[in-house]
C-alpha cells in the first residue's frame, strides 16, 4: 500500500475451501478480523461468509510501516503482512 495525497485501499478475498481447493458454497462461517499497524478495516471485525467467500477492504492510515491482518475462521488462522510506504 502506498500513501500519497490520500489513503490507499487493499482488497483481500477470503474463500472457505475443502481439501481439494473447492469453495464450500454453503458455508456461512463467521470470519474474525484483527488488524494492527498503519492499516484499518472497513467494516465490522466479525463478518459472515456468503456462499463460502467474502471480500474484505482495508485502508492505509497516514503512516508508514508494516500492517498485520489476522483472519480466523473456527480454528483456522491466517496471518497477512502488508507493507505500507
Amino acid at each position: 500500500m502506498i500513501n500519497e495525497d490520500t489513503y490507499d485501499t487493499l482488497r483481500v478475498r477470503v474463500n472457505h475451501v475443502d481439501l481439494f481447493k473447492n469453495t464450500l458454497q454453503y458455508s456461512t462461517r463467521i470470519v474474525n478480523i484483527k488488524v494492527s499497524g498503519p492499516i484499518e478495516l472497513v467494516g465490522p471485525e466479525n463478518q459472515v461468509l456468503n456462499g463460502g467467500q467474502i471480500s474484505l477492504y482495508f485502508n492505509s492510515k497516514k503512516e508508514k510501516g508494516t500492517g498485520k491482518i489476522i483472519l480466523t475462521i473456527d480454528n483456522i488462522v491466517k496471518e497477512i503482512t502488508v507493507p505500507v510506504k
Side-chain angles (χ1 to χ4, degrees):
M1 301 179 84
I2 299 173
N3 286 316
E4 290 184 348
D5 293 335
T6 184
Y7 60 86
D8 202 1
T9 301
L10 172 70
R11 175 180 167 240
V12 175
R13 183 174 173 172
V14 178
N15 285 353
H16 192 191
V17 297
D18 63 13
L19 295 175
F20 301 104
K21 307 281 186 205
N22 297 312
T23 300
L24 299 172
Q25 295 183 4
Y26 297 103
S27 177
T28 56
R29 305 287 174 121
I30 296 174
V31 180
N32 179 268
I33 306 119
K34 299 288 184 197
V35 178
S36 64
I39 58 175
E40 61 187 0
L41 172 66
V42 177
E45 286 186 354
N46 294 308
Q47 298 191 29
V48 178
L49 295 174
N50 185 7
Q53 56 191 349
I54 191 170
S55 289
L56 305 170
Y57 293 89
F58 301 88
N59 289 337
S60 63
K61 298 178 182 177
K62 288 289 188 174
E63 303 170 13
K64 295 181 181 183
T66 302
K68 187 186 294 186
I69 301 168
I70 300 173
L71 305 173
T72 306
I73 300 175
D74 296 336
N75 60 348
I76 303 167
V77 178
K78 177 71 175 175
E79 186 174 309
I80 303 168
T81 303
V82 180
V84 181
K85 300 177 182 179

